[in-house]
Structure formats: C-alpha cells, structure tokens
Amino acid sequence: MSPEIPIYSINAYLYCKYRYYLEEIVGLSRENKHITKGALINEIKTKKSSTKNWKKIKKIFVASEKFGIYGYIDNIVKTPEKTKIVEVKKGKSIKPFESDVIQLVAYMMAYCETYSEKPENISGILKYEGSKKTFRIHFTEKRLKKLYDITRDIQKIKNGTYIPSSMYTKKCKECSLFEICQPSEKEKSKMKIMPSKFDKEPIFIFKHGVFIGKSGENFQISYGEEKVSIPSYKIYSLNIFGIFSISKQAIELASKNNIPIIINSSYGKNISVITPYFSKNNFLRIKHLKKVENTEFKMELTRKIIYGKIKNMEIFLKKKKIKINFLKYKKALLKEKEIGKLRGIEGAATKEYFEYYKKLIPENFTFKGRKRRPPTDEINSLLSFGYTILYNIVYSLILSIGVDPYFGFLHTTQYGRASLALDLMEEFRTLLIDSVVLSVINKKIIKKKDFKKDVSGAIFISQSAKKIFVEQIFKRIKKKHYYKPAKISIEYIRIIEAQIRMFQKAILDEMEYIPFTIER
Ligand code: SF4
C-alpha cells in the first residue's frame, strides 16, 4: 500500500473520527490555543533536547508501505545498537493517552521500515510537558493490530466508502472545530447550524493597472505610487475587475492559503478563477452530484430556495408600504411537481416584484423593468453590477467551505456556470442588493452623472461610482440580522456562510435545508 496517511493525522482520528474527516478530507483546520501550544512545545523541545553519549537526530522522514503511513520524526536519539524516538506532548497527563501511544508506535514502525531496523532495537519515549511525566513505549501485538485496523479505517474514509458522523462528547468542548462541526446528541434534522467566527474578508479591486505582489505573508497591492499591504490570513477571496498583473509569488501565497483569485471584466463578467482546488472532499462531491440527479431532493431544495426568495421580496415590499400578496406563488410552490414549473413560479414572482420595485425608483431615473444583458438604464446597471458582487461573495465562500460551486438545483448545469452560487444567492438578492440600489439613489450617493453609455447603447456605472456602490453593499452585508437557526444576530455575510454550511449538511443528509427569510 503506498504511504498516503500522514502519521500526525492518526491522533486526530483517535481523538474523533469526524474531526479527522473534517481536517483531512474536507480540508478544514482551525488553530486553537491547544494546537498552537502543542506545536510550540515541540519546537522548544527539539532545540533543547540533548542526552549524553547518544547521537541526536532531528526531523527525519519515515514511511511504511505495510501500514500506508508517512511522516517526520522530530526527535531521535540513538547509539549504534539502540534507537529512541521521542514524542513530546502538551498536557498534564499522568498516564499515556492511547492516541499518543498509537501515533508514536506508528512513527516507530515507519522508522523500522524506512531504515531496515529491527523492532527490538527501537523504543519510544512519550513525554508530557504539563505533568513532567515520561513513559517508555514498546511494540506489542495489540498495539500493532490496533494501528493496522486504524489505517484500514482511514483508507475507507479517504476513498469515500465510509464517512463518520459527528456526535457530541465531552471532547467537543475543547475541539477547535466545534463551531463548524456543531455536534448534536439530537436527531439530525434538529441540528443547529452556527456560522464560524473567523474574520476574513473578500477583497475587491476595481482600478485598471493594479499590480498584486507578495511580501512575506502579505499581499502588496500597488497602483502607481499607492501601496496597500493586506495580510493573507485576513482574506478569503481576491476579486479583480479589469486589467491587472500579478506575480507568481502572489499566486503561490493565494494558493497556500486557499484564497481563490476571481478575475472579472470591468463590467463584471466572470473571466476566470485561479483556485488551488475546489475541494479535497471527493466524497462530498459524489454525494453532491447524486443529489443533483435525485429528483425528489432537487425539487425540495429548489422549492425552498424559491420560497425564501419570494418571502424576502414580499416582506421587503411590505416594509416599503407596498400592498402586495405573494400567497398565490407560495401556494403554487407547494403543489407543483415539475422542476420546470417551479422555475416558472420563480420567474413570475420576480417579474411581479419588479413591477412594484419600479414604483420605488425616483422620477429622475428610468427603470422599465429588469433587463439583464446589456443593462439599458441606470437601475438595471446597478442591479446587474450588484448581483455580480453578491455572486463573487457567494462563489468564493462556497469555494472556501469546500463545496463545488458548479452544480446547482434551481439553476441548471451549464458549461462554465457556477449554478450553485446562483442558487444560494437567491435568498439575498433583495436584501443585499435591491435595497442598496434604492438607498444609493434615494440618498443621492450615486447620481445620474455616474453612468455612461457605450456604443451599443448599454448603460454602465463609472469606475469611481462602482467603488462607492461596493462600499455601500459592504456596509449592508456587515449589518447584523437575527439568524433563526443559530438563535443569534450576526452579520449578513456570516448568514450567507452559515446557509452554505447548511446546504453542505443537507447534501450529506445531516440536516434539512431551511431558507433564510426575514420577518416583518
Ligand atoms: S466538535 Fe466533537 S464531534 Fe465535532 S469534530 Fe470536534 S470532537 Fe468531533
């Protein structure tokens, strides 16, 4: 068996199988105080470790084909006859944890195989910093059998034939992935979803001629004499509109931090995406594709997304004192048994919504109804550009969570179209874009002079007004709103992220998707 399992991950597996799955398959990992401290201790011990008459070796690569494992051993001390593999752990344990023992046995086994060493010449030393306790570990049949069973189990998770599930245990309190995992002792359908707390931002660049470079772990964005430095850990996507250049080092920094670089034309048309990978999680992608082919699931999810969109349009108009009643659409949604007809309901409701939306536009602007390509008036131009911004935000969040953005349900699969991003932005169009369009024109933040007509007669927003408009959209997406599934008020951007996580759990059959709707 080729060595494909990193030895460090065995510890995560023994801590919690679901955690292993999230870290190694989904590709999530969050540093917490415990992880950081553990890493630090290892570093300090590596520097200080010294034993008289023994030769010290640091950081060597080992692998075992028999177990399919590989890794780096930080500390080895040896004489010509004997070898000790030293593993230092944080914690105050007064007896060795089984997970630490098995991990150390894995390193010892891989060392034997790599250096053709006899097992009887190898021993392991397990040290706990907190309790200052040291334990000598040897090979036993029981431990080797356990290691063998674990590596077989991990292989099944890796090749997608087994997916562990989350379950609340006392370990969860200390787990760095708690917010993402949301373990529950309750039924799956009643599981709560929580947005994660990491404070990353999408970055939008609109100026032509910008250069994106790298300095240390920061992106250096230069435009003539202007220079801005942004730490990579604060970003989850780079969204570029117009002409730019970028260094290879900046692309590498983005790839290393799983930051997609989304390249758009200056009018907002998506041209390309540089992304390290959609998702390491092939099993999730297979499940996702199966759900796309599953008519019942597809109908149900489409129905819910459309319901969320219609309800938000209705409440939005009612808040603007427009008397409307979309009950007919909501009732029709429940009855329809064909996906095409569901899409038809969505189209009809949206058309009617824009008939009312028209009434909210000040007289000095023209808006004869929604026209996508090309926008023929200022309002359509703002709406189209705003939806592009929202699309970029949803698309990059989907990528960062590890879901494939190209397979949707309400929106059909088409060549190069990120249908899932279009699906999952539906609930937010009115709340985050239509409302901001009204706000910027009513408050005269954007005026008629901020638009220009091109040779084809299409109306486009100027570069300077784009920046102002995007700032206003960001003000809105940073606003907090009550999020019922988590029973807390959080920023809209975190709500979008939580909805994507909910979708992810829905395709894994771990919970039902509930559309996000606002209340009156
Ligand atoms: S929160 Fe609990 S169930 Fe979830 S990954 Fe962590 S330890 Fe496992």
Side-chain angles (χ1 to χ4, degrees), residues 15-20 22 165-184:
Y15 184 82
C16 165
K17 291 183 188 183
Y18 194 65
R19 180 179 169 132
Y20 171 87
L22 289 179
S165 48
S166 59
M167 174 60 80
Y168 188 85
T169 65
K170 59 183 180 188
K171 288 177 188 171
C172 297
K173 280 187 201 156
E174 296 284 303
C175 177
S176 54
L177 295 177
F178 182 82
E179 283 163 12
I180 292 167
C181 169
Q182 292 299 304
S184 174

PDB file of all heavy atoms in Angstrom, residues 15-20 22 165-184, ligand 1:
ATOM      1  N   TYR A  15      -8.774  10.963  18.276  1.00  0.00           N
ATOM      2  CA  TYR A  15      -9.461  11.977  19.092  1.00  0.00           C
ATOM      3  C   TYR A  15     -10.947  11.974  18.731  1.00  0.00           C
ATOM      4  O   TYR A  15     -11.821  11.958  19.577  1.00  0.00           O
ATOM      5  CB  TYR A  15      -8.831  13.343  18.805  1.00  0.00           C
ATOM      6  CG  TYR A  15      -9.380  14.476  19.640  1.00  0.00           C
ATOM      7  CD1 TYR A  15      -8.922  14.688  20.931  1.00  0.00           C
ATOM      8  CD2 TYR A  15     -10.349  15.332  19.125  1.00  0.00           C
ATOM      9  CE1 TYR A  15      -9.419  15.726  21.697  1.00  0.00           C
ATOM     10  CE2 TYR A  15     -10.855  16.370  19.882  1.00  0.00           C
ATOM     11  CZ  TYR A  15     -10.379  16.566  21.169  1.00  0.00           C
ATOM     12  OH  TYR A  15     -10.881  17.597  21.916  1.00  0.00           O
ATOM     13  N   CYS A  16     -11.202  11.991  17.423  1.00  0.00           N
ATOM     14  CA  CYS A  16     -12.585  11.955  16.938  1.00  0.00           C
ATOM     15  C   CYS A  16     -12.532  11.659  15.444  1.00  0.00           C
ATOM     16  O   CYS A  16     -11.873  12.376  14.699  1.00  0.00           O
ATOM     17  CB  CYS A  16     -13.264  13.298  17.195  1.00  0.00           C
ATOM     18  SG  CYS A  16     -14.798  13.510  16.284  1.00  0.00           S
ATOM     19  N   LYS A  17     -13.241  10.619  15.004  1.00  0.00           N
ATOM     20  CA  LYS A  17     -13.197  10.252  13.583  1.00  0.00           C
ATOM     21  C   LYS A  17     -13.756  11.373  12.711  1.00  0.00           C
ATOM     22  O   LYS A  17     -13.290  11.613  11.609  1.00  0.00           O
ATOM     23  CB  LYS A  17     -14.019   8.975  13.345  1.00  0.00           C
ATOM     24  CG  LYS A  17     -13.407   7.746  13.943  1.00  0.00           C
ATOM     25  CD  LYS A  17     -14.244   6.534  13.611  1.00  0.00           C
ATOM     26  CE  LYS A  17     -13.737   5.332  14.384  1.00  0.00           C
ATOM     27  NZ  LYS A  17     -14.459   4.114  14.063  1.00  0.00           N
ATOM     28  N   TYR A  18     -14.776  12.046  13.234  1.00  0.00           N
ATOM     29  CA  TYR A  18     -15.384  13.104  12.431  1.00  0.00           C
ATOM     30  C   TYR A  18     -14.416  14.279  12.272  1.00  0.00           C
ATOM     31  O   TYR A  18     -14.359  14.929  11.241  1.00  0.00           O
ATOM     32  CB  TYR A  18     -16.695  13.570  13.065  1.00  0.00           C
ATOM     33  CG  TYR A  18     -17.524  14.417  12.123  1.00  0.00           C
ATOM     34  CD1 TYR A  18     -18.047  13.868  10.959  1.00  0.00           C
ATOM     35  CD2 TYR A  18     -17.762  15.761  12.381  1.00  0.00           C
ATOM     36  CE1 TYR A  18     -18.785  14.635  10.074  1.00  0.00           C
ATOM     37  CE2 TYR A  18     -18.503  16.537  11.504  1.00  0.00           C
ATOM     38  CZ  TYR A  18     -19.012  15.968  10.354  1.00  0.00           C
ATOM     39  OH  TYR A  18     -19.740  16.732   9.475  1.00  0.00           O
ATOM     40  N   ARG A  19     -13.632  14.521  13.323  1.00  0.00           N
ATOM     41  CA  ARG A  19     -12.645  15.592  13.240  1.00  0.00           C
ATOM     42  C   ARG A  19     -11.600  15.257  12.170  1.00  0.00           C
ATOM     43  O   ARG A  19     -11.178  16.110  11.398  1.00  0.00           O
ATOM     44  CB  ARG A  19     -11.976  15.783  14.593  1.00  0.00           C
ATOM     45  CG  ARG A  19     -10.951  16.882  14.545  1.00  0.00           C
ATOM     46  CD  ARG A  19     -10.312  17.078  15.889  1.00  0.00           C
ATOM     47  NE  ARG A  19      -9.185  17.943  15.705  1.00  0.00           N
ATOM     48  CZ  ARG A  19      -8.929  18.987  16.457  1.00  0.00           C
ATOM     49  NH1 ARG A  19      -9.717  19.282  17.445  1.00  0.00           N
ATOM     50  NH2 ARG A  19      -7.884  19.727  16.225  1.00  0.00           N
ATOM     51  N   TYR A  20     -11.198  13.991  12.145  1.00  0.00           N
ATOM     52  CA  TYR A  20     -10.255  13.558  11.114  1.00  0.00           C
ATOM     53  C   TYR A  20     -10.853  13.848   9.736  1.00  0.00           C
ATOM     54  O   TYR A  20     -10.202  14.387   8.845  1.00  0.00           O
ATOM     55  CB  TYR A  20      -9.956  12.053  11.250  1.00  0.00           C
ATOM     56  CG  TYR A  20      -9.173  11.540  10.065  1.00  0.00           C
ATOM     57  CD1 TYR A  20      -7.785  11.622  10.054  1.00  0.00           C
ATOM     58  CD2 TYR A  20      -9.817  11.046   8.933  1.00  0.00           C
ATOM     59  CE1 TYR A  20      -7.064  11.213   8.943  1.00  0.00           C
ATOM     60  CE2 TYR A  20      -9.106  10.645   7.824  1.00  0.00           C
ATOM     61  CZ  TYR A  20      -7.730  10.728   7.837  1.00  0.00           C
ATOM     62  OH  TYR A  20      -7.024  10.343   6.726  1.00  0.00           O
ATOM     63  N   LEU A  22     -13.161  16.018   8.907  1.00  0.00           N
ATOM     64  CA  LEU A  22     -13.220  17.456   8.602  1.00  0.00           C
ATOM     65  C   LEU A  22     -11.846  18.011   8.238  1.00  0.00           C
ATOM     66  O   LEU A  22     -11.705  18.795   7.308  1.00  0.00           O
ATOM     67  CB  LEU A  22     -13.774  18.232   9.806  1.00  0.00           C
ATOM     68  CG  LEU A  22     -15.257  18.058  10.124  1.00  0.00           C
ATOM     69  CD1 LEU A  22     -15.629  18.874  11.356  1.00  0.00           C
ATOM     70  CD2 LEU A  22     -16.124  18.521   8.956  1.00  0.00           C
ATOM     71  N   SER A 165     -19.793  10.141  11.366  1.00  0.00           N
ATOM     72  CA  SER A 165     -20.730  11.228  11.674  1.00  0.00           C
ATOM     73  C   SER A 165     -20.344  11.885  12.993  1.00  0.00           C
ATOM     74  O   SER A 165     -19.632  11.306  13.814  1.00  0.00           O
ATOM     75  CB  SER A 165     -22.161  10.705  11.721  1.00  0.00           C
ATOM     76  OG  SER A 165     -22.208   9.558  12.501  1.00  0.00           O
ATOM     77  N   SER A 166     -20.827  13.116  13.170  1.00  0.00           N
ATOM     78  CA  SER A 166     -20.476  13.858  14.382  1.00  0.00           C
ATOM     79  C   SER A 166     -21.420  13.473  15.517  1.00  0.00           C
ATOM     80  O   SER A 166     -22.594  13.200  15.288  1.00  0.00           O
ATOM     81  CB  SER A 166     -20.574  15.358  14.121  1.00  0.00           C
ATOM     82  OG  SER A 166     -21.881  15.684  13.732  1.00  0.00           O
ATOM     83  N   MET A 167     -20.903  13.451  16.696  1.00  0.00           N
ATOM     84  CA  MET A 167     -21.722  13.138  17.867  1.00  0.00           C
ATOM     85  C   MET A 167     -21.110  13.861  19.062  1.00  0.00           C
ATOM     86  O   MET A 167     -19.893  13.814  19.260  1.00  0.00           O
ATOM     87  CB  MET A 167     -21.717  11.621  18.079  1.00  0.00           C
ATOM     88  CG  MET A 167     -22.401  11.158  19.349  1.00  0.00           C
ATOM     89  SD  MET A 167     -24.138  11.628  19.435  1.00  0.00           S
ATOM     90  CE  MET A 167     -24.884  10.388  18.433  1.00  0.00           C
ATOM     91  N   TYR A 168     -21.937  14.545  19.829  1.00  0.00           N
ATOM     92  CA  TYR A 168     -21.402  15.326  20.941  1.00  0.00           C
ATOM     93  C   TYR A 168     -20.817  14.415  22.023  1.00  0.00           C
ATOM     94  O   TYR A 168     -21.456  13.484  22.487  1.00  0.00           O
ATOM     95  CB  TYR A 168     -22.501  16.204  21.554  1.00  0.00           C
ATOM     96  CG  TYR A 168     -21.931  17.154  22.574  1.00  0.00           C
ATOM     97  CD1 TYR A 168     -21.399  18.377  22.176  1.00  0.00           C
ATOM     98  CD2 TYR A 168     -21.877  16.806  23.914  1.00  0.00           C
ATOM     99  CE1 TYR A 168     -20.832  19.230  23.099  1.00  0.00           C
ATOM    100  CE2 TYR A 168     -21.309  17.655  24.846  1.00  0.00           C
ATOM    101  CZ  TYR A 168     -20.789  18.864  24.438  1.00  0.00           C
ATOM    102  OH  TYR A 168     -20.211  19.702  25.349  1.00  0.00           O
ATOM    103  N   THR A 169     -19.563  14.695  22.403  1.00  0.00           N
ATOM    104  CA  THR A 169     -18.937  14.005  23.541  1.00  0.00           C
ATOM    105  C   THR A 169     -18.237  15.077  24.376  1.00  0.00           C
ATOM    106  O   THR A 169     -18.155  16.234  23.943  1.00  0.00           O
ATOM    107  CB  THR A 169     -17.872  12.982  23.086  1.00  0.00           C
ATOM    108  OG1 THR A 169     -16.811  13.703  22.466  1.00  0.00           O
ATOM    109  CG2 THR A 169     -18.430  11.945  22.134  1.00  0.00           C
ATOM    110  N   LYS A 170     -17.685  14.710  25.508  1.00  0.00           N
ATOM    111  CA  LYS A 170     -17.044  15.746  26.339  1.00  0.00           C
ATOM    112  C   LYS A 170     -15.806  16.339  25.656  1.00  0.00           C
ATOM    113  O   LYS A 170     -15.390  17.445  25.968  1.00  0.00           O
ATOM    114  CB  LYS A 170     -16.723  15.221  27.739  1.00  0.00           C
ATOM    115  CG  LYS A 170     -15.814  14.038  27.782  1.00  0.00           C
ATOM    116  CD  LYS A 170     -15.624  13.566  29.207  1.00  0.00           C
ATOM    117  CE  LYS A 170     -14.686  12.363  29.177  1.00  0.00           C
ATOM    118  NZ  LYS A 170     -14.534  11.674  30.377  1.00  0.00           N
ATOM    119  N   LYS A 171     -15.239  15.617  24.689  1.00  0.00           N
ATOM    120  CA  LYS A 171     -14.076  16.155  23.961  1.00  0.00           C
ATOM    121  C   LYS A 171     -14.453  17.395  23.145  1.00  0.00           C
ATOM    122  O   LYS A 171     -13.613  18.226  22.832  1.00  0.00           O
ATOM    123  CB  LYS A 171     -13.542  15.107  22.979  1.00  0.00           C
ATOM    124  CG  LYS A 171     -12.841  13.941  23.607  1.00  0.00           C
ATOM    125  CD  LYS A 171     -12.440  12.983  22.509  1.00  0.00           C
ATOM    126  CE  LYS A 171     -11.902  11.689  23.058  1.00  0.00           C
ATOM    127  NZ  LYS A 171     -11.707  10.693  22.011  1.00  0.00           N
ATOM    128  N   CYS A 172     -15.719  17.475  22.744  1.00  0.00           N
ATOM    129  CA  CYS A 172     -16.148  18.539  21.831  1.00  0.00           C
ATOM    130  C   CYS A 172     -15.892  19.933  22.405  1.00  0.00           C
ATOM    131  O   CYS A 172     -15.625  20.868  21.669  1.00  0.00           O
ATOM    132  CB  CYS A 172     -17.624  18.382  21.486  1.00  0.00           C
ATOM    133  SG  CYS A 172     -17.962  16.845  20.615  1.00  0.00           S
ATOM    134  N   LYS A 173     -15.990  20.060  23.743  1.00  0.00           N
ATOM    135  CA  LYS A 173     -15.810  21.375  24.372  1.00  0.00           C
ATOM    136  C   LYS A 173     -14.444  21.969  24.041  1.00  0.00           C
ATOM    137  O   LYS A 173     -14.268  23.163  23.949  1.00  0.00           O
ATOM    138  CB  LYS A 173     -15.915  21.224  25.893  1.00  0.00           C
ATOM    139  CG  LYS A 173     -17.328  21.136  26.387  1.00  0.00           C
ATOM    140  CD  LYS A 173     -17.312  21.173  27.902  1.00  0.00           C
ATOM    141  CE  LYS A 173     -18.609  20.590  28.429  1.00  0.00           C
ATOM    142  NZ  LYS A 173     -18.471  20.089  29.781  1.00  0.00           N
ATOM    143  N   GLU A 174     -13.446  21.117  23.919  1.00  0.00           N
ATOM    144  CA  GLU A 174     -12.075  21.573  23.676  1.00  0.00           C
ATOM    145  C   GLU A 174     -11.720  21.559  22.191  1.00  0.00           C
ATOM    146  O   GLU A 174     -10.613  21.911  21.818  1.00  0.00           O
ATOM    147  CB  GLU A 174     -11.089  20.641  24.402  1.00  0.00           C
ATOM    148  CG  GLU A 174     -11.208  20.663  25.910  1.00  0.00           C
ATOM    149  CD  GLU A 174     -10.601  21.910  26.502  1.00  0.00           C
ATOM    150  OE1 GLU A 174      -9.418  22.159  26.267  1.00  0.00           O
ATOM    151  OE2 GLU A 174     -11.337  22.652  27.178  1.00  0.00           O
ATOM    152  N   CYS A 175     -12.649  21.107  21.370  1.00  0.00           N
ATOM    153  CA  CYS A 175     -12.315  20.885  19.955  1.00  0.00           C
ATOM    154  C   CYS A 175     -12.303  22.202  19.180  1.00  0.00           C
ATOM    155  O   CYS A 175     -13.250  22.985  19.248  1.00  0.00           O
ATOM    156  CB  CYS A 175     -13.320  19.920  19.335  1.00  0.00           C
ATOM    157  SG  CYS A 175     -13.044  19.660  17.589  1.00  0.00           S
ATOM    158  N   SER A 176     -11.234  22.418  18.417  1.00  0.00           N
ATOM    159  CA  SER A 176     -11.103  23.669  17.664  1.00  0.00           C
ATOM    160  C   SER A 176     -12.095  23.750  16.503  1.00  0.00           C
ATOM    161  O   SER A 176     -12.279  24.801  15.923  1.00  0.00           O
ATOM    162  CB  SER A 176      -9.679  23.796  17.136  1.00  0.00           C
ATOM    163  OG  SER A 176      -9.344  22.639  16.411  1.00  0.00           O
ATOM    164  N   LEU A 177     -12.722  22.636  16.143  1.00  0.00           N
ATOM    165  CA  LEU A 177     -13.668  22.661  15.019  1.00  0.00           C
ATOM    166  C   LEU A 177     -15.119  22.664  15.493  1.00  0.00           C
ATOM    167  O   LEU A 177     -16.032  22.424  14.707  1.00  0.00           O
ATOM    168  CB  LEU A 177     -13.420  21.453  14.107  1.00  0.00           C
ATOM    169  CG  LEU A 177     -12.070  21.448  13.400  1.00  0.00           C
ATOM    170  CD1 LEU A 177     -11.897  20.188  12.580  1.00  0.00           C
ATOM    171  CD2 LEU A 177     -11.920  22.657  12.500  1.00  0.00           C
ATOM    172  N   PHE A 178     -15.307  22.939  16.767  1.00  0.00           N
ATOM    173  CA  PHE A 178     -16.652  22.845  17.339  1.00  0.00           C
ATOM    174  C   PHE A 178     -17.671  23.695  16.580  1.00  0.00           C
ATOM    175  O   PHE A 178     -18.759  23.238  16.241  1.00  0.00           O
ATOM    176  CB  PHE A 178     -16.625  23.260  18.816  1.00  0.00           C
ATOM    177  CG  PHE A 178     -17.967  23.137  19.490  1.00  0.00           C
ATOM    178  CD1 PHE A 178     -18.403  21.919  19.975  1.00  0.00           C
ATOM    179  CD2 PHE A 178     -18.809  24.230  19.600  1.00  0.00           C
ATOM    180  CE1 PHE A 178     -19.651  21.789  20.570  1.00  0.00           C
ATOM    181  CE2 PHE A 178     -20.056  24.116  20.190  1.00  0.00           C
ATOM    182  CZ  PHE A 178     -20.475  22.893  20.680  1.00  0.00           C
ATOM    183  N   GLU A 179     -17.296  24.961  16.289  1.00  0.00           N
ATOM    184  CA  GLU A 179     -18.262  25.862  15.647  1.00  0.00           C
ATOM    185  C   GLU A 179     -18.662  25.382  14.264  1.00  0.00           C
ATOM    186  O   GLU A 179     -19.783  25.575  13.818  1.00  0.00           O
ATOM    187  CB  GLU A 179     -17.679  27.269  15.533  1.00  0.00           C
ATOM    188  CG  GLU A 179     -17.723  27.996  16.854  1.00  0.00           C
ATOM    189  CD  GLU A 179     -16.814  29.188  16.855  1.00  0.00           C
ATOM    190  OE1 GLU A 179     -16.331  29.568  15.777  1.00  0.00           O
ATOM    191  OE2 GLU A 179     -16.576  29.727  17.939  1.00  0.00           O
ATOM    192  N   ILE A 180     -17.721  24.769  13.578  1.00  0.00           N
ATOM    193  CA  ILE A 180     -18.023  24.292  12.234  1.00  0.00           C
ATOM    194  C   ILE A 180     -18.792  22.981  12.303  1.00  0.00           C
ATOM    195  O   ILE A 180     -19.751  22.759  11.582  1.00  0.00           O
ATOM    196  CB  ILE A 180     -16.715  24.113  11.443  1.00  0.00           C
ATOM    197  CG1 ILE A 180     -16.092  25.485  11.195  1.00  0.00           C
ATOM    198  CG2 ILE A 180     -16.947  23.385  10.129  1.00  0.00           C
ATOM    199  CD1 ILE A 180     -14.679  25.422  10.706  1.00  0.00           C
ATOM    200  N   CYS A 181     -18.373  22.125  13.220  1.00  0.00           N
ATOM    201  CA  CYS A 181     -18.953  20.785  13.303  1.00  0.00           C
ATOM    202  C   CYS A 181     -20.382  20.804  13.841  1.00  0.00           C
ATOM    203  O   CYS A 181     -21.264  20.125  13.341  1.00  0.00           O
ATOM    204  CB  CYS A 181     -18.054  19.929  14.186  1.00  0.00           C
ATOM    205  SG  CYS A 181     -18.773  18.373  14.648  1.00  0.00           S
ATOM    206  N   GLN A 182     -20.600  21.632  14.864  1.00  0.00           N
ATOM    207  CA  GLN A 182     -21.917  21.687  15.505  1.00  0.00           C
ATOM    208  C   GLN A 182     -22.445  20.299  15.852  1.00  0.00           C
ATOM    209  O   GLN A 182     -23.483  19.854  15.347  1.00  0.00           O
ATOM    210  CB  GLN A 182     -22.917  22.411  14.588  1.00  0.00           C
ATOM    211  CG  GLN A 182     -22.620  23.866  14.423  1.00  0.00           C
ATOM    212  CD  GLN A 182     -22.674  24.606  15.739  1.00  0.00           C
ATOM    213  OE1 GLN A 182     -23.676  24.570  16.426  1.00  0.00           O
ATOM    214  NE2 GLN A 182     -21.594  25.246  16.112  1.00  0.00           N
ATOM    215  N   PRO A 183     -21.721  19.561  16.689  1.00  0.00           N
ATOM    216  CA  PRO A 183     -22.181  18.205  17.010  1.00  0.00           C
ATOM    217  C   PRO A 183     -23.482  18.256  17.796  1.00  0.00           C
ATOM    218  O   PRO A 183     -23.771  19.242  18.457  1.00  0.00           O
ATOM    219  CB  PRO A 183     -21.050  17.663  17.887  1.00  0.00           C
ATOM    220  CG  PRO A 183     -20.460  18.870  18.513  1.00  0.00           C
ATOM    221  CD  PRO A 183     -20.571  19.968  17.503  1.00  0.00           C
ATOM    222  N   SER A 184     -24.254  17.216  17.691  1.00  0.00           N
ATOM    223  CA  SER A 184     -25.530  17.208  18.384  1.00  0.00           C
ATOM    224  C   SER A 184     -25.834  15.817  18.897  1.00  0.00           C
ATOM    225  O   SER A 184     -25.470  14.820  18.281  1.00  0.00           O
ATOM    226  CB  SER A 184     -26.616  17.664  17.417  1.00  0.00           C
ATOM    227  OG  SER A 184     -27.866  17.527  18.018  1.00  0.00           O
TER     228      SER A 184
HETATM  229  S1  SF4 B   1     -16.784  19.017  17.820  1.00  0.00           S
HETATM  230 FE1  SF4 B   1     -16.827  16.947  18.664  1.00  0.00          FE
HETATM  231  S2  SF4 B   1     -17.776  15.660  17.070  1.00  0.00           S
HETATM  232 FE2  SF4 B   1     -17.149  17.578  16.127  1.00  0.00          FE
HETATM  233  S3  SF4 B   1     -15.124  17.211  15.295  1.00  0.00           S
HETATM  234 FE3  SF4 B   1     -14.819  18.089  17.307  1.00  0.00          FE
HETATM  235  S4  SF4 B   1     -14.678  16.369  18.707  1.00  0.00           S
HETATM  236 FE4  SF4 B   1     -15.560  15.599  16.782  1.00  0.00          FE
END
